[in-house]
Amino acid sequence: MVEKTFTEADRNDGIEPDMVDQGHAPKSTTGGNGTLPMNMIQALNSALDAKMAEDPNVLSFGEDAGYFGGVFRVTDKLQEKHGLTRSFDAPISECGIVAAAIGMGAYGLRPVVEIQFADYIYPAYDQIVSEAAKLRYRSAGMFTSPITVRSPYGGGIFGGQTHSQSPESLFTHIAGLKVVVPSNPYDAKGLLTACIEDDDPTIFFEPKRLYNGPFDGWHEKPVSPWKAQELAQVPAEKYTVPLGKARIMKEGADVTILAWGTMVWVSLAGAEHAGVDAEVIDLRSLVPLDIEAIEASVKKTGRCVIVHEAPKTSGYGAELSALVQERCFYHLEAPIARVCGWDTPYPHAFEWEYFPGPERVAEALKSTMNGGR
Amino acid sequence: MKKNTKALSLRVPEPSGRPGDTPDFSHLKLDAPGAVARPDALSDHHEMRDLAFRLVRVLDEDGTAVGPWDPKLDPETLRNGLKAMILTRAFDDRMHRAHRQGKTSFYMKCTGEEAIAVAQGMILPREDMGFPTYRQQGLLIARGYPLVDMMNQIYSNASDPIKGRQLPIMYSSRDYGFFTISGNLGTQVPQAVGWAMASAYKGDDKLAISWIGDGATAEGDFHNALTFAAVYRAPVILNIVNNQWAISSFQGIAGGLETTFASKAIGYGLPALRVDGNDFLAVWAATQWAEERARANRGATVIELFTYRGAPHSTSDDPSRYRPGDEHEKWPLGDPIARLKQHLIALGEWSDEQQEAAEKDAVEQVRAAGKESEAIGTLGQSRPSVKTMFEDVFATEDWRLVEQRREVGV
Ligand SMILES: Cc1ncc(C[n+]2csc(CCOP(=O)(O)OP(=O)(O)O)c2C)c(N)n1
Ligand SMILES: [Mg+2]
């Protein structure tokens, strides 16, 4: 499935497990400066592979994540390369997966666990919220939880309500958790590596709509593959992208767009569609947040539009909006706007009415340029 | 003092075969047909613990019904069961193809497992609510639910009974005793227990019946269900469909190498039956046993239905990547349709010609329903009106939904 896109035309590719061999293991021929063109799956796989080679305390497990290499193939061949006990299948218990990771992490390992879809993370919520997030604090640093919870999230794939959700704000609300979302292969590898090396629990949401190409929300147009993108040139070696540093995807003078994951690409398309000179900021990590980059940009442009897939109410956009208002109020020339998912569950039949697309972003940009009217 | 000086090692279970290997089922301990005793349905669960480790079978190699579990069904019931299984398989084949043709986004077959939902759907009336997984389409079919409505759901079209809200095959029908399917595994088993508790609380006579896969028994919700069912002696039948695989994970990843799935019941103080799920008569008999017990207010029974997932997990799956290609053909307990057919022929109540005619008739019924449904529209061609997207979030829309609906312009 994921290799192709989920346009109206070929949505017959289904959702869930991608079982088509796309040769996801990175090729061994390096590019000009030691980089290889990779899609996001390959980049994530490469991050895990490199960390596992470097550090015997890093291991990976999850449902179908061992022998088979994960339904999206992110852990492909890790078992073959690193051994049965370093990349293995887990029972279908998200709670058990995270709980076991917490125990291993406290012991001194660096487990990276896969929750097959973010929509299935809720059975693990108690372990993440009450345990992983609080181990360090309640034991005054005696026990810690250096675990990474990876999970594909987000819509645009005709996945219905159980394969489309964006639950990031349920985790940003929790003291003690870091929440990270890449938007491209280069960042995916560097951020995942940084999460694994981080001494605190990180929730790493992978925008599955971007696994195989930078989807911009124009679902009727053919999608270009990653390899055409500069951000798909990924170093073969290990590297990190620091947590808490946003990426300015595009500089602009008139309005600041704050986005992450798939919505970074939708925002770029929305700005182009509106013909507005927007500065598009890919937050990359929601916690810790690069507040300096946000503040500098909004003070420069005087306008701010926040775009996310999750429902509007209590989404992370609410927090961002409050922060921008607190810090940039006297620089604002228009109310802060939010373009978000509706306050409904994710409907199967109305994929493109629900998914915030470039047209809605463009509307918000135009209205913001017009002082919010 | 340090006591353990020997290095430990981590065990990760592995299946008996992977792609390229010859299927190996030599580790299965299968009782002979008719070999397992049948205790009285009201007997003390402490006295029947061995049943959790045996395998109730009725049909023998020749298609003869043998032993104490033979439900002695009349030929008409057997023929109806066979036809419903044939129809289920024909429906699966057509909808799987419909997905390949781009008419919908997703589909899941129950190939090889038809006897389970069909027999159980025939035994229990619609008033006994079923809490199915995505592999119990046979329940709707056995209860005569219109195929066209199933297809309308699969196409998320304008006549979809659940308004395009859910992924294909996540049906819902209160009238047919089919609880709205959740995509989240395991969640509904404890809900079935709650439904049964409500019936008991009200002094009604209704039961509940639930299904869960071998893989999903690892979820905490399965264990919540068993605790509540035992504590409140809930009138519920808790099925575990052990089809050997959970996507790419063999049942050993769910603990199947350590003990049987049925035996999980013992720790909770529940009676358990372990049954050949490809034997229509055995499934029938075991379910009837559990039904009798529940109706007598003796509470829940756990039934492990031992079967094999013949088809890919879903339309997105390619099992040749993780299991031997011919495992299904080599499955020692055969195919449920072929076995019931053989039995009926042995009884002199069926023939190859009748089988052929029934298969043709099933294909015809499915084709007719398909025509009707596709005339309304396949995915994307037809759908409920967009404003329904905002309905049923609450009983009445709050201001946010009203505003958001207006923003969409509907
Ligand atoms: C809570 C949750 N976790 C993970 C999944 C993804 N998933 C869907 S089906 C499946 C395998 C289920 O296997 P099993 O319970 O044996 O049922 P079967 O498919 O074999 O009928 C998985 C892991 C899910 N739907 N819900
Ligand atoms: Mg299974």
Side-chain angles (χ1 to χ4, degrees):
Chain A
M1 58 152 270
V2 233
E3 181 66 17
K4 296 190 192 152
T5 59
F6 281 80
T7 59
E8 294 280 325
D10 57 12
R11 66 172 122 65
N12 54 322
D13 282 334
I15 54 124
E16 246 186 308
D18 166 27
M19 310 290 183
V20 186
D21 189 358
Q22 295 147 7
H24 285 308
K27 310 275 179 306
S28 54
T29 47
T30 42
N33 32 15
T35 66
L36 306 163
M38 293 188 201
N39 64 29
M40 202 186 282
I41 294 167
Q42 293 166 324
L44 292 163
N45 182 270
S46 166
L48 287 162
D49 191 20
K51 269 315 290 183
M52 287 172 79
E54 179 193 271
D55 181 356
N57 285 330
V58 175
L59 75 165
S60 156
F61 57 101
E63 294 157 22
D64 303 289
Y67 179 85
F68 183 64
V71 296
F72 289 105
R73 321 311 320 244
V74 171
T75 55
D76 193 28
K77 301 210 167 50
L78 295 180
Q79 184 175 90
E80 200 179 302
K81 287 189 203 167
H82 301 283
L84 183 62
T85 58
R86 295 199 58 203
S87 176
F88 52 87
D89 291 323
I92 304 176
S93 168
E94 293 74 17
C95 174
I97 290 168
V98 171
I102 293 171
M104 290 175 162
Y107 189 94
L109 302 183
R110 288 191 180 272
V112 186
V113 294
E114 175 174 303
I115 300 297
Q116 197 164 85
F117 284 85
D119 314 71
Y120 303 140
I121 205 167
Y122 309 116
Y125 198 58
D126 188 36
Q127 286 288 340
I128 295 172
V129 171
S130 310
E131 306 302 319
K134 296 181 175 63
L135 235 52
R136 177 187 296 281
Y137 192 80
R138 76 181 192 220
S139 70
M142 218 178 288
F143 296 97
T144 61
S145 187
I147 68 167
T148 303
V149 180
R150 298 180 31 244
S151 192
Y153 89 103
I157 67 155
F158 274 93
Q161 51 198 279
T162 55
H163 303 88
S164 308
Q165 296 169 60
S166 298
E168 63 271 18
S169 73
L170 297 178
F171 299 93
T172 57
H173 183 66
I174 306 304
L177 293 181
K178 296 183 180 174
V179 182
V180 178
V181 190
S183 76
N184 58 77
Y186 180 88
D187 287 349
K189 178 169 177 179
L191 289 168
L192 180 57
T193 307
C195 285
I196 299 171
E197 293 183 352
D198 197 279
D199 290 332
D200 286 307
T202 51
I203 311 295
F204 188 85
F205 283 124
E206 300 166 6
K208 57 182 165 304
R209 194 57 176 82
L210 298 183
Y211 272 153
N212 289 286
F215 180 65
D216 65 5
W218 292 117
H219 56 92
E220 267 147 13
K221 291 184 191 160
V223 174
S224 64
W226 273 118
K227 60 178 183 288
Q229 297 278 335
E230 206 181 308
L231 288 169
Q233 291 302 317
V234 178
E237 277 70 50
K238 193 203 90 169
Y239 63 93
T240 56
V241 168
L243 306 183
K245 284 298 287 175
R247 174 194 279 282
I248 314 278
M249 283 295 276
K250 176 189 160 297
E251 290 190 7
D254 292 344
V255 49
T256 300
I257 303 181
L258 304 179
W260 53 95
T262 311
M263 288 300 128
V264 170
W265 299 92
V266 172
S267 297
L268 289 166
E272 194 187 318
H273 188 57
V276 170
D277 186 19
E279 180 145 298
V280 179
I281 300 187
D282 174 1
L283 295 180
R284 300 200 289 198
S285 88
L286 307 183
V287 180
L289 181 68
D290 190 349
I291 191 68
E292 282 170 27
I294 296 172
E295 212 176 311
S297 178
V298 176
K299 283 182 176 164
K300 177 178 83 175
T301 63
R303 297 179 180 85
C304 181
V305 173
I306 300 158
V307 187
H308 63 64
E309 287 186 62
K312 187 174 189 179
T313 301
S314 300
Y316 197 57
E319 177 64 25
L320 292 171
S321 172
L323 284 168
V324 170
Q325 183 273 139
E326 284 162 11
R327 288 162 186 261
C328 311
F329 182 78
Y330 295 106
H331 297 264
L332 287 175
E333 290 167 39
I336 302 159
R338 286 182 286 166
V339 179
C340 312
W342 310 122
D343 285 310
T344 73
Y346 207 113
H348 180 252
F350 307 112
E351 185 70 56
W352 304 120
E353 281 79 11
Y354 185 94
F355 186 89
E359 277 163 320
R360 280 184 60 207
V361 174
E363 280 302 306
L365 288 172
K366 285 188 218 158
S367 149
T368 301
M369 291 313 294
N370 197 23
R373 280 172 287 270
Chain B
M1 194 183 63
K2 203 164 174 227
K3 285 201 179 134
N4 192 358
T5 50
K6 213 171 151 235
L8 303 167
S9 64
L10 184 67
R11 191 280 289 253
V12 175
E14 290 185 281
S16 60
R18 287 295 191 187
D21 295 339
T22 309
D24 177 11
F25 294 117
S26 58
H27 57 285
L28 301 183
K29 286 190 223 85
L30 305 174
D31 283 288
V36 179
R38 183 186 186 280
D40 187 85
L42 306 186
S43 52
D44 185 341
H45 68 86
H46 295 105
E47 282 154 26
M48 52 172 289
R49 285 181 177 163
D50 65 309
L51 285 178
F53 303 95
R54 307 291 300 273
L55 193 70
V56 172
R57 298 173 65 189
V58 174
L59 290 171
D60 71 8
E61 304 263 292
D62 310 320
T64 310
V66 294
W69 286 91
D70 178 5
K72 303 205 163 51
L73 299 178
D74 60 83
E76 195 50 29
T77 305
L78 292 172
R79 277 191 292 266
N80 288 340
L82 182 61
K83 285 181 196 160
M85 290 199 284
I86 293 169
L87 185 55
T88 304
R89 192 167 289 182
F91 184 85
D92 272 0
D93 285 341
R94 172 151 183 134
M95 299 323 290
H96 192 82
R97 239 178 311 121
H99 170 265
R100 288 280 173 261
Q101 295 163 344
K103 293 174 182 171
T104 190
S105 58
F106 189 68
Y107 193 72
M108 295 172 103
K109 298 166 103 178
C110 65
T111 313
E113 303 174 30
E114 292 90 347
I116 297 164
V118 166
Q120 297 184 319
M122 286 172 70
I123 296 171
L124 295 183
R126 296 170 187 189
E127 289 70 30
D128 296 330
M129 185 60 76
F131 290 75
T133 77
Y134 42 75
R135 262 187 248 287
Q136 275 78 50
Q137 50 269 59
L139 189 66
L140 284 173
I141 290 174
R143 287 179 175 175
Y145 185 79
L147 299 182
V148 65
D149 287 336
M150 293 172 76
M151 291 177 177
N152 291 339
Q153 194 282 329
I154 290 164
Y155 293 146
S156 279
N157 69 21
S159 298
D160 173 2
I162 51 169
K163 302 186 180 169
R165 302 260 169 75
Q166 280 255 61
L167 202 64
I169 72 167
M170 302 287 177
Y171 314 108
S172 175
S173 174
R174 201 173 172 117
D175 291 345
Y176 284 77
F178 198 96
F179 198 79
T180 161
I181 299 182
S182 172
N184 299 62
L185 295 171
T187 52
Q188 305 199 287
V189 185
Q191 295 166 9
V193 174
W195 184 281
M197 286 167 65
S199 172
Y201 168 88
K202 297 271 273 181
D204 292 343
D205 61 358
K206 296 186 182 72
L207 311 184
I209 178 166
S210 71
W211 292 264
I212 190 169
D214 48 293
T217 61
E219 292 283 5
D221 275 341
F222 170 72
H223 302 270
N224 297 332
L226 266 53
T227 301
F228 276 68
V231 168
Y232 297 107
R233 212 172 277 169
V236 60
I237 301 172
L238 302 164
N239 295 293
I240 303 164
V241 182
N242 176 5
N243 62 8
Q244 314 303 318
W245 290 93
I247 310 185
S248 74
S249 298
F250 83 117
Q251 42 84 30
I253 295 293
L257 297 181
E258 274 55 56
T259 187
T260 66
F261 289 92
S263 72
K264 310 252 167 178
I266 294 173
Y268 295 90
L270 292 170
L273 301 173
R274 192 159 170 272
V275 180
D276 177 356
N278 292 12
D279 178 339
F280 186 86
L281 298 184
V283 175
W284 190 287
T287 309
Q288 220 168 30
W289 188 98
E291 181 197 17
E292 186 186 337
R293 190 176 177 93
R295 295 216 190 278
N297 212 30
R298 295 296 298 273
T301 301
V302 172
I303 306 178
E304 175 182 347
L305 298 138
F306 201 67
T307 181
Y308 188 89
R309 194 195 80 212
H313 171 73
S314 73
T315 43
S316 312
D317 180 32
D318 173 9
S320 72
R321 297 186 54 117
Y322 54 78
R323 66 184 189 187
D326 52 348
E327 251 194 18
H328 187 215
E329 287 156 47
K330 302 277 166 63
W331 181 244
L333 296 170
D335 176 76
I337 294 180
R339 287 175 68 192
L340 187 55
K341 171 191 162 194
Q342 183 198 26
H343 176 57
L344 270 162
I345 291 176
L347 288 177
E349 294 286 348
W350 195 248
S351 65
D352 283 321
E353 293 70 47
Q354 279 170 292
Q355 179 76 14
E356 215 174 285
E359 281 169 8
K360 251 184 154 159
D361 178 61
V363 168
E364 204 35 62
Q365 284 185 59
V366 173
R367 185 181 300 146
K371 238 176 120 183
E372 199 183 324
S373 179
E374 287 179 24
I376 301 162
T378 57
L379 180 62
Q381 292 179 344
S382 154
R383 52 184 194 165
S385 83
V386 178
K387 82 173 172 10
T388 62
M389 175 164 71
F390 296 97
E391 294 168 0
D392 299 320
V393 178
F394 299 111
T396 47
E397 281 176 320
D398 74 2
W399 60 266
R400 298 171 303 168
L401 293 166
V402 173
E403 284 185 4
Q404 291 174 10
R405 181 162 51 74
R406 283 199 196 119
E407 208 177 318
V408 178
V410 289

